[in-house]
Amino acid sequence: MKSRTIKVDYLARVEGEGALLVKIKGNTLADVKLKIFEPPRFFEAFLRGRRYSEAPDITARICGICPIAYQMSAVHAMEDAFDVQVQGPLRELRRLLYCGEWIESHTLHVYMLHAPDFLGFQDAIQLAREHPAVVQRGLKLKKSGNEIVTLLGGREIHPVNVRVGGFYRVPTRKELEPLLEQMKWARDAALETVRWSAQLPFPEFEQDYTFVSLRHPDEYPFNEGRLVSNRGLDISVHDYDDYFTEEQVAHSNALHSVLKPGTPYFVGPLARYSLNFDRLSPVAQEAARSAGLGSECRNPFKSIIVRSVEILQACDEAIRIIEGYQRPDRPDVPIQPGAARGYACTEAPRGTLYHRYRIDESGTIREAKIVPPTSQNQKTIEQDLRHFVAGHLDDSQDELRWRCEQAIRNYDPCISCATHFLKLDIERE
Amino acid sequence: MAQRAKPKLAVWKFSSCDGCQLSLLDCEDELLEVAGELDIANFPEASRAVVKGPYDLSLVEGSITTPHDAERIHQVRRASKFLVTIGACATAGGIQALRNFSDIRKFTSIVYATPEYIETLSKSTAISEHIPVDFELRGCPINKRQLLEVISAFLNQRKPNTPAHSVCIECKLRGTVCVMVAHGTPCLGPVTHAGCGAICPAYERGCYGCFGPMESPNTKSLSTQWVRLGARESDLVHAFRGFNAYADPFRKESEAHEK
Ligand code: SF4
Ligand code: SF4
């Protein structure tokens, strides 16, 4: 009986350090393991004993790719604890900041990390040799997202301006206005990106996923909403721990987040899109339809189109916010810390990001819990690999290895994010 | 005519958030140009392709926190002609070095149900604690302008121009009103290494020291000033124990205020 092993010792074009092991015996798939060997980083322990106000700066350091997501989940959880509502222009500015991160992070993934897979290039630099205009469009689009983050946050990575209750300083209308031209260009470029990504070659591969994301009464979700699924889940973020749990499994390197009692689920662009199509702006809905997407998308390889639709959504939203902006009188809402618990989920580019804190009467963090999107998707990624490989057993080793890597990159996994990930030795037979 | 071989660039990751290496991809206007001058030989975050070493320029991100990484860094050194550490993790142990002040077993059991699976060192240490380093670039994260300066200095075989004065000087250069003098906001700027362009004061908050200590900082005198402004001992411990907690001057000052 022929037996094959596919090993990828170091997954490229993902954030953080991971590896893949696939074992095939004869005509059956014996084993699939997504290995994570990012060293543990202990953020939940570091947060104990720090002031509530330090959480946004500290948690930003979990991930250089989506620091805003960490800052947003942290500030919302603290505000939940202290019963504070941040409304009006401050809320709009937070959405704008999130738009910037989505544009920057999604565009990085679409053009530099994912597209090369579809076109058979090792990286975006090679892609740029054959298609310079495409890569230049991608870089400029990414830059327009970064410009929002830099203006509102001070810099692209680990911005300094976010605080519990709002910001340290809010921009004047005049400071925001120059972004408008750039964002109008970006909206066109995003539309182009949807069209361009839609004509890439996609494997036939549809799965019956459990999608989970936030859902807001009238917005495409960023910071707020109820947690819903396509299987009837509809809960307040406060009840997260009653429905979700993390399992530490010896055979894998990571904590797996599951829906109790043990169902894998899927967070991120595909889930958000499929659960919130009706909340997309008309231009994004229209672009999605002309790209051949329905109101639900169950082919993870097509996540590149869905991400592009979300870039368009974020550009459109950014324009709306900048046009309507009126500078508030003060940059933040005053906070009265006290003994409390706070909960929040926001939609990081890669999916739902959960924070929970327990604070004491002096405003000191006593307990913190953080569940990043990648740890939630990990079980689903392994399932995809199982199903995908089973249908491609006859492919050559190189082809199959590349396709497996691509199947993982569909999720844009951010391994650095997954603070829980452990180091374990690669299993040997 | 035969083309001169381009210098080979490698980017290595240890324990980190990936933000510093992302800074390179965030150089949207210069990325393709850099790729034209250097052969990107090993950069897993950006490419599947791996060209064998030795490498002319290695950028190292992240700190050493596992026995395996403590070995791996020696291989990286052997494969690299010129080695630059990028960011606070690589140059000072980073935020992960907060563990150095505590008992790692306690930490492990806070985060993991089965701590036995975890293999980690009790300290997070800078790259230079393990191998000789040719140049260190500060910041959590690094400043991408400075990164480009380091790369172009390397290409032109000159010393990078990255001044070692404090953030205060950058405030002055930028014309920012001092938040400590004008608003009585505690600021770590006077003891923090320049490089960011004095971002925080420009956003009306105090510097929190993400570029680490400047050359010969007077941390003691700054602490006295903070106390005058109403800071408690525990605030001082937290202020110095941040993203560069294990850089010597910051570590010592934080320890001086611990009960
Ligand atoms: S604001 Fe801070 S960094 Fe700027 S001059 Fe004042 S003390 Fe120095
Ligand atoms: S914390 Fe200090 S060094 Fe870091 S960005 Fe702010 S001003 Fe610059």
Side-chain angles (χ1 to χ4, degrees):
Chain A
M1 197 168 70
K2 198 175 70 152
S3 137
R4 292 160 73 185
T5 303
I6 293 180
K7 257 183 89 180
V8 180
D9 288 334
Y10 199 126
L11 279 168
R13 282 191 269 119
V14 302
E15 277 94 33
E17 299 179 283
L20 168 69
L21 184 74
V22 176
K23 284 187 192 157
I24 303 164
K25 289 216 174 90
N27 286 326
T28 51
L29 188 64
D31 205 359
V32 169
K33 287 197 175 79
L34 178 62
K35 302 280 182 183
I36 309 292
F37 50 91
E38 181 80 16
R41 284 163 70 234
F42 303 112
F43 276 89
E44 288 147 320
F46 299 156
L47 284 160
R48 292 193 177 188
R50 306 294 292 220
R51 302 270 307 157
Y52 77 91
S53 50
E54 294 184 281
D57 292 324
I58 294 177
T59 56
R61 268 68 185 184
I62 292 172
C63 180
I65 326 291
C66 56
I68 306 283
Y70 283 92
Q71 296 192 324
M72 286 301 128
S73 288
V75 295
H76 279 274
M78 294 303 174
E79 288 155 15
D80 178 56
F82 306 138
D83 214 3
V84 165
Q85 305 282 328
V86 174
Q87 298 295 356
L90 291 175
R91 181 177 187 276
E92 292 281 273
L93 283 178
R94 282 183 171 175
R95 279 186 80 78
L96 180 59
L97 188 58
Y98 230 142
C99 289
E101 179 157 288
W102 273 28
I103 297 169
E104 163 272 311
S105 172
H106 274 358
T107 310
L108 171 76
H109 191 259
V110 165
Y111 281 91
M112 317 212 56
L113 310 183
H114 210 193
D117 279 332
F118 291 92
L119 299 166
F121 295 102
Q122 303 285 334
D123 54 44
I125 307 290
Q126 281 193 9
L127 179 62
R129 274 184 216 130
E130 306 264 329
H131 306 281
V134 168
V135 174
Q136 266 148 10
R137 180 179 64 214
L139 286 169
K140 194 169 165 199
L141 184 56
K142 175 165 162 307
K143 189 178 168 192
S144 51
N146 268 336
E147 281 184 358
I148 295 179
V149 179
T150 306
L151 186 95
L152 286 183
R155 60 182 168 200
E156 302 89 333
I157 300 165
H158 308 328
V160 303
N161 193 22
V162 171
R163 78 191 297 178
V164 179
F167 294 89
Y168 288 89
R169 182 183 182 280
V170 284
T172 59
R173 260 197 76 85
K174 225 172 143 143
E175 284 171 307
L176 271 192
E177 257 159 20
L179 282 180
L180 205 53
E181 273 309 291
Q182 172 104 359
M183 290 319 301
K184 286 185 175 158
W185 174 88
R187 186 168 54 186
D188 292 343
L191 191 55
E192 267 310 300
T193 305
V194 177
R195 290 194 192 118
W196 169 76
S197 61
Q199 44 78 42
L200 294 167
F202 294 102
E204 294 284 334
F205 184 73
E206 293 217 339
Q207 300 295 305
D208 190 15
Y209 296 112
T210 300
F211 287 134
V212 171
S213 87
L214 287 180
R215 184 159 166 88
H216 185 272
D218 34 54
E219 293 165 340
Y220 200 69
F222 275 151
N223 287 339
E224 294 150 40
R226 289 173 69 80
L227 267 173
V228 302
S229 81
N230 55 337
R231 308 251 192 267
L233 180 82
D234 183 356
I235 60 166
S236 149
V237 171
H238 287 168
D239 298 330
Y240 183 96
D241 296 295
D242 296 339
Y243 290 85
F244 296 86
T245 186
E246 285 177 296
E247 298 173 343
Q248 189 179 10
V249 268
H251 86 266
S252 166
N253 303 16
L255 292 178
H256 285 182
S257 183
V258 289
L259 252 167
K260 288 178 186 176
T263 318
Y265 61 100
F266 189 137
V267 298
L270 239 54
R272 269 191 307 256
Y273 175 91
S274 300
L275 294 167
N276 295 285
F277 180 82
D278 56 344
R279 301 284 186 265
L280 284 168
S281 67
V283 43
Q285 281 192 6
E286 166 63 28
R289 294 236 187 261
S290 9
L293 293 180
S295 57
E296 187 186 73
C297 175
R298 294 193 288 117
N299 181 343
F301 291 89
K302 291 191 175 168
S303 61
I304 191 168
I305 318 178
V306 174
R307 265 187 201 95
S308 307
V309 170
E310 287 198 335
I311 299 172
L312 178 60
Q313 170 73 21
C315 291
D316 198 51
E317 171 106 21
I319 291 171
R320 181 189 64 72
I321 295 171
I322 298 169
E323 282 178 338
Y325 178 64
Q326 296 297 340
R327 193 185 204 214
D329 296 335
R330 43 173 308 162
D332 64 331
V333 176
I335 301 292
Q336 276 302 328
R341 283 170 196 275
Y343 307 80
C345 277
T346 70
E347 286 293 336
R350 287 154 196 80
T352 313
L353 167 59
Y354 174 64
H355 284 216
R356 182 190 79 210
Y357 298 95
R358 185 163 61 79
I359 317 287
D360 71 12
E361 44 311 316
S362 73
T364 301
I365 299 170
R366 288 291 155 215
E367 206 183 293
K369 166 129 187 115
I370 295 171
V371 186
T374 296
S375 101
Q376 306 182 61
N377 276 339
Q378 193 177 301
K379 259 205 150 119
T380 306
I381 299 177
E382 287 189 351
Q383 275 196 343
D384 269 10
L385 287 165
R386 233 170 260 127
H387 294 140
F388 186 76
V389 173
H392 290 78
L393 288 171
D394 297 331
D395 290 7
S396 78
Q397 188 80 350
D398 279 353
E399 172 76 2
L400 194 49
R401 179 185 300 127
W402 192 323
R403 288 300 159 219
C404 285
E405 288 180 40
Q406 182 178 4
I408 295 171
R409 283 192 287 267
N410 287 338
Y411 289 80
D412 191 7
C414 181
I415 294 162
S416 311
C417 270
T419 52
H420 304 260
F421 284 165
L422 331 179
K423 177 176 183 340
L424 263 193
D425 281 325
I426 306 277
E427 170 220 24
R428 279 169 273 266
E429 259 192 330
Chain B
M1 210 173 69
Q3 257 197 323
R4 193 173 53 92
K6 288 189 244 170
K8 283 200 246 173
L9 170 74
V11 182
W12 308 94
K13 175 187 159 65
F14 290 83
S15 187
S16 67
C17 77
D18 284 53
C20 290
Q21 51 177 315
L22 179 68
S23 299
L24 191 56
L25 302 180
D26 275 349
C27 296
E28 291 97 0
D29 294 334
E30 300 87 2
L31 184 66
L32 295 177
E33 210 177 313
V34 170
E37 295 294 320
L38 287 156
D39 179 9
I40 299 185
N42 186 340
F43 188 0
E45 179 168 314
S47 176
R48 285 182 90 226
V50 179
V51 181
K52 271 218 179 78
Y55 306 99
D56 297 286
L57 173 61
S58 273
L59 302 176
V60 179
E61 172 192 271
S63 66
I64 304 297
T65 62
T66 67
H68 175 249
D69 280 355
E71 283 306 310
R72 187 161 66 95
I73 189 62
H74 290 277
Q75 293 164 20
V76 170
R77 177 69 267 189
R78 278 195 292 278
S80 313
K81 292 188 190 153
F82 195 78
L83 186 146
V84 176
T85 61
I86 52 169
C89 299
T91 56
I95 181 86
Q96 294 93 248
L98 290 179
R99 76 176 66 181
N100 302 9
F101 301 90
S102 180
D103 177 356
I104 192 70
R105 276 161 309 181
K106 207 173 76 198
F107 271 21
T108 315
S109 56
I110 290 176
V111 182
Y112 302 101
T114 318
E116 299 82 78
Y117 295 158
I118 307 280
E119 196 182 319
T120 189
L121 296 170
S122 60
K123 287 203 159 51
S124 166
T125 44
I127 301 298
S128 65
E129 305 262 317
H130 301 263
I131 52 154
V133 167
D134 298 303
F135 189 80
E136 294 185 315
L137 190 59
R138 317 288 196 92
C140 178
I142 55 170
N143 173 305
K144 66 183 189 184
R145 296 278 132 226
Q146 287 203 323
L147 178 62
L148 287 172
E149 164 62 16
V150 168
I151 293 174
S152 92
F154 167 80
L155 289 170
N156 296 298
Q157 298 176 6
R158 59 173 174 81
K159 204 174 158 292
N161 175 18
T162 52
H165 52 234
S166 74
V167 173
C168 289
I169 308 282
E170 297 195 300
C171 259
K172 303 294 172 276
L173 288 170
R174 191 172 173 153
T176 303
V177 173
C178 175
V179 297
M180 198 140 69
V181 173
H183 314 299
T185 305
C187 181
L188 282 184
V191 296
T192 299
H193 199 284
C196 70
I199 301 174
C200 293
Y203 282 79
E204 290 172 12
R205 73 177 286 194
C207 168
Y208 57 87
C210 77
F211 271 60
M214 63 176 296
E215 256 171 29
S216 25
N218 193 343
T219 50
K220 198 157 169 259
S221 141
L222 183 66
S223 293
T224 313
Q225 180 61 21
W226 273 49
V227 170
R228 263 187 226 130
L229 295 173
R232 295 160 298 184
E233 290 290 284
S234 63
D235 297 332
L236 285 163
V237 176
H238 286 162
F240 286 103
R241 205 164 281 179
F243 308 102
N244 289 276
Y246 226 57
D248 229 37
F250 282 10
R251 173 167 63 87
K252 289 191 178 135
E253 193 60 30
S254 79
E255 281 165 354
H257 298 279
E258 226 166 4
K259 302 180 275 299

